[in-house]
Amino acid sequence: MILSIESSCDDSSIAITKIDDYKLIYHKKISQDLEHSVYGGVVPELAARLHTEALPKILEECKEYFPHLKAIAVTNEPGLSVTLLEGVMMAKALSLSLNIPLIAVNHLKGHIYSLFISQKALMPLSVLLVSGGHTQIIEATSLNNMKVVARTQDDSFGESFDKVAKMLGLGYPGGPIVQKMAQDGDAKAYDFPIPLKNIPNIEFSYSGLKNAVRLAIETELKSSPSVPQHLSTSVTSNICASFEHTAVAHLIQKLKKYFKVAHPSTFAIVGGASANIRLRSELEKLCREYDCKLLLSPLEFCSDNAAMIGRCAIEQYNQKDFIDINSLDISPRSSFEAFKK
Ligand code: KG4
Ligand code: ZN
């Protein structure tokens, strides 16, 4: 069995996975949404302090598995340095005291392996990774051969939901909240321009859309001076629905271009924002149109979790990809650099 730890952002999570049949034996996650919600985003130092409380609490529940552990795995890149450090310190201590090897896992590769929890991996595949920090298309033929072929020029898809939620005063994380508000709204109420619509390149951008939403909010606030700084629920829902519609339309439009040139036989979406219902259903349509198999992670494994880190670590364990305790360091590098390893 492998014990895996994830603390790259605001989720403290530990999992135990069986090496021979990939079976997930134990998995727990303590999220910090409530604590960061008042700030409208993750406060790194607060996140780090909360990890120091949550991780030992979860570890306590795993003690019965200690005699069966063959390795300790931990996310070491990319992420927030102060929070990565919490998981890495715990992993080092466990490896040393139990005298078992350490495995350093790339968080983005972990997201890709969230597709294969408790099962064998299926590659090659093309993946759209949509998380809080990344929006990119990755072509993966194996654990050691993953290439980023398209990325965002500015904000990420998930981040744009967080920023829209913040502008509307809806809390954090924005994705699930905006999605819920959008369900009661009219997606045609605002005509937000689809980003990079007339640009042939396969790349993404969300800062322009975010700005268009900001202007719409300002215009609505000005037009109702009797209730300053407050939008009605129906206006908020309409803004959320129109924004979500445009944000997804941008992804689908660029993916269509990608499908036309790359002809993937298997396509997947991973990352926290891959839980978005509109995105999932639009992608289902696109994959049907292009006769492509679509892989989706179960909803509980879309956002950050240690189960995906443990699943990825099994591949590394089988390759004896261990790291010396003294050279295991955190590395908040960009994803592109992280993939070049
Ligand atoms: O992968 P993840 O848990 O953390 C990172 O590695 O960043 O992704 C978190 C991101 C947040 O930006 C959150 O707002 C977004 O995923 N997200 C969503 C949805 N659920 C989570 N975005 C859009 N729609 C959702 N349903
Ligand atoms: Zn993530």
Side-chain angles (χ1 to χ4, degrees):
M1 292 176 190
I2 291 181
L3 182 143
S4 53
I5 305 168
E6 158 64 36
S7 69
S8 66
C9 191
D10 59 341
D11 294 293
S12 318
S13 180
I14 297 181
I16 312 267
T17 315
K18 265 178 82 188
I19 295 168
D20 52 356
D21 61 1
Y22 315 110
K23 204 163 172 232
L24 182 63
I25 304 286
Y26 171 93
H27 179 225
K28 187 148 186 180
K29 160 165 146 168
I30 298 178
S31 297
Q32 309 171 355
D33 296 347
L34 212 64
E35 288 86 348
H36 296 291
S37 192
V38 281
Y39 303 103
V42 177
V43 181
E45 284 71 21
L46 173 62
R49 191 171 58 71
L50 293 169
H51 284 306
T52 64
E53 290 165 16
L55 285 174
K57 218 184 281 175
I58 307 176
L59 189 68
E60 194 64 35
E61 293 180 15
C62 302
K63 277 191 170 154
E64 61 177 294
Y65 301 106
F66 281 9
H68 309 291
L69 295 180
K70 293 275 181 281
I72 303 293
V74 63
T75 306
N76 76 319
E77 64 174 1
L80 301 170
S81 358
V82 285
T83 64
L84 284 167
L85 201 59
E86 298 301 331
V88 164
M89 284 193 304
M90 175 176 269
K92 281 184 177 180
L94 282 170
S95 161
L96 208 59
S97 57
L98 298 172
N99 195 24
I100 50 177
L102 257 183
I103 299 172
V105 179
N106 177 299
H107 181 78
L108 307 182
K109 290 189 177 183
H111 271 302
I112 292 176
Y113 278 89
S114 71
L115 296 163
F116 309 120
I117 304 289
S118 293
Q119 54 179 296
K120 216 168 161 266
L122 179 79
M123 290 193 192
L125 80 163
S126 298
V127 188
L128 173 69
L129 167 70
V130 273
S131 66
H134 299 89
T135 299
Q136 48 192 218
I137 301 173
I138 299 157
E139 290 178 348
T141 49
S142 69
L143 171 74
N144 302 319
N145 197 345
M146 295 190 183
K147 205 166 83 195
V148 180
V149 295
R151 61 179 61 76
T152 179
Q153 298 174 346
D154 39 62
D155 293 350
S156 77
F157 177 75
E159 186 181 8
S160 71
F161 279 73
D162 296 332
K163 288 184 175 168
V164 166
K166 189 172 181 180
M167 288 190 278
L168 289 167
L170 296 174
Y172 174 87
I177 309 172
V178 169
Q179 171 174 287
K180 192 154 190 297
M181 290 299 294
Q183 278 163 4
D184 302 321
D186 174 7
K188 294 199 178 79
Y190 297 86
D191 191 15
F192 296 133
I194 297 178
L196 310 180
K197 194 175 171 183
N198 299 315
I199 292 181
N201 298 5
I202 303 172
E203 56 191 4
F204 307 102
S205 168
Y206 280 97
S207 65
L209 175 58
K210 176 187 65 187
N211 224 21
V213 173
R214 187 178 56 78
L215 291 174
I217 295 171
E218 281 172 12
T219 307
E220 289 294 349
L221 285 172
K222 270 190 216 135
S223 69
S224 57
S226 52
V227 214
Q229 305 308 311
H230 184 78
L231 294 179
S232 71
T233 308
S234 73
V235 167
T236 304
S237 293
N238 285 345
I239 291 176
C240 288
S242 304
F243 157 73
E244 185 186 49
H245 173 84
T246 313
V248 172
H250 172 40
L251 284 181
I252 296 296
Q253 200 178 61
K254 293 297 179 186
L255 286 177
K256 212 171 211 168
K257 282 190 199 293
Y258 174 74
F259 274 52
K260 277 185 186 154
V261 294
H263 310 291
S265 56
T266 311
F267 194 80
I269 31 171
V270 300
S274 71
N276 186 274
I277 294 165
R278 176 178 274 273
L279 175 60
R280 285 167 98 96
S281 82
E282 290 296 318
L283 258 177
E284 271 164 18
K285 277 191 235 160
L286 189 70
C287 285
R288 259 199 309 275
E289 193 185 328
Y290 283 83
D291 199 20
C292 176
K293 185 182 163 81
L294 176 64
L295 299 183
L296 298 167
S297 305
L299 286 177
E300 65 173 309
F301 301 123
C302 287
S303 56
D304 292 350
N305 65 83
M308 67 187 196
I309 302 304
R311 178 61 191 83
C312 184
I314 294 177
E315 307 288 324
Q316 294 179 249
Y317 181 88
N318 289 336
Q319 294 180 6
K320 296 205 171 18
D321 179 11
F322 304 136
I323 187 157
D324 182 77
I325 189 161
N326 296 313
S327 37
L328 172 60
D329 231 327
I330 54 150
S331 173
R333 294 184 293 175
S334 77
S335 60
F336 185 57
E337 288 168 304
F339 267 120
K340 280 204 291 197
K341 237 178 35 150

